[in-house]
Amino acid sequence: MTLGSIAHRTLLQPRSVADALKMLRDEGPLTPLAGCTDLYVALNFGTLRETRFLDLWRLDPLRRIERRGRALAIGALATYSDLIASPHVRRMLPMLAAAAREIGGVQIQNRGTIGGNVANASPAGDTLPVLAAADAVVVLQSTRATRRVPFNEFYTGYRRTVRRDDELIVGFEIPPVRGRQWFRKVGTRRAQAISKVVVAGVVGDGGVRVALGSVAPTVVRAVRTEAAIARGASVAEAQQVLTDEIAPIDDVRSTAEYRRRVAANLLARMLADRP
Ligand SMILES: Cc1cc2nc3c(=O)[nH]c(=O)nc-3n(C[C@H](O)[C@H](O)[C@H](O)COP(=O)(O)OP(=O)(O)OC[C@H]3O[C@@H](n4cnc5c(N)ncnc54)[C@H](O)[C@@H]3O)c2cc1C
């Protein structure tokens, strides 16, 4: 089998979430497949080693976006177009709508899912800082149980998560967010670019929350920076703490030095937007 070919690969197509979870348990290991926008890139590059897939695309219950009590509940299969169109997202989590608008082009927005972005675990994933700053909870389900993992504990290292092989990400729960939400992505160009630095934050009376992507092996909540601001640090002091707190690398997209500088600039801008 050549790695870039779909011959000799198997696709299981469950009719319900319960079916999907049973297949994961009984017929695994299986690789979940949602919009396929990340998996297809790997296929195209000839790096896709997995051979058995579980197609989630038709599982409509996982596409719902709704209010659950005071929280916002977003199904893992919600696409970027769904997020942009959702009045709940626009009202309760506008920084997620802002992130979704900047992801790929319309084709990617129609196919790419929030669950795929999170599960793919790239430190450059644009929805990740939003979920981190919003104190989201990842809902994981298997045939045995449903467990809720704080988003900020979901990643354990570069492209590693706490998801077990028999679990699917079924959705995300976001508690009410108080304060002004802020999202900014910096890439090589204005659109259709992978982030060099991506920042999401909440600026409110209760303090500041800030999360960054592409500046460490996983998305990071800048907790030391948040604490410094809470203690009354000046913008310049907060920038210094942030610069020390993040651990960017040099890679094909950018240099560590550039990322540090941009992250500090974005922090200053976020704070300047304070009401
Ligand atoms: C041209 C192009 C532009 C892009 N631009 C951006 C961009 O600007 N910003 C950005 O962040 N990303 C971008 N991406 C990456 C990609 O579109 C997103 O990461 C997308 O959200 C992936 O979702 P998907 O449903 O297509 O995932 P898939 O490709 O189907 O799956 C991705 C990974 O997640 C796993 N997975 C999917 N759903 C689940 C689930 N429910 N439970 C457990 N595991 C699951 C799969 O097994 C796989 O490992 C781009 C991709 C392309 C091709």
Side-chain angles (χ1 to χ4, degrees), residues 31-41 56 76 80 102-104 108 111-117 119-120 124-127 163 167-170 185 192-194:
T31 301
L33 180 159
C36 212
T37 60
D38 276 317
L39 287 172
Y40 200 83
V41 171
L56 308 179
Y80 300 113
E102 297 214 20
I103 290 178
I108 294 296
R111 279 299 294 197
T113 65
I114 186 167
N117 201 226
N120 193 51
D126 285 325
T127 65
R163 183 180 83 83
E167 287 177 321
L168 284 179
I169 299 176
V170 291
K185 160 178 175 169
Q192 298 267 27
I194 299 175

Side-chain angles (χ1 to χ4, degrees), residues 6 29 42 80 84 89 99 103 107 128 133 154 158 162 180 205 214 228-229 236 239-240 243 249 257 259 263 266 272:
I6 58 166
Y80 300 113
I84 294 164
V89 173
I103 290 178
Q107 299 92 329
L128 278 49
F154 185 68
Y158 179 66
V162 300
R180 178 185 297 197
D205 294 341
S214 285
I229 295 168
Q239 284 179 302
Q240 188 55 56
T243 307
I249 54 165
E257 172 55 27
R259 288 183 159 117
L266 291 179

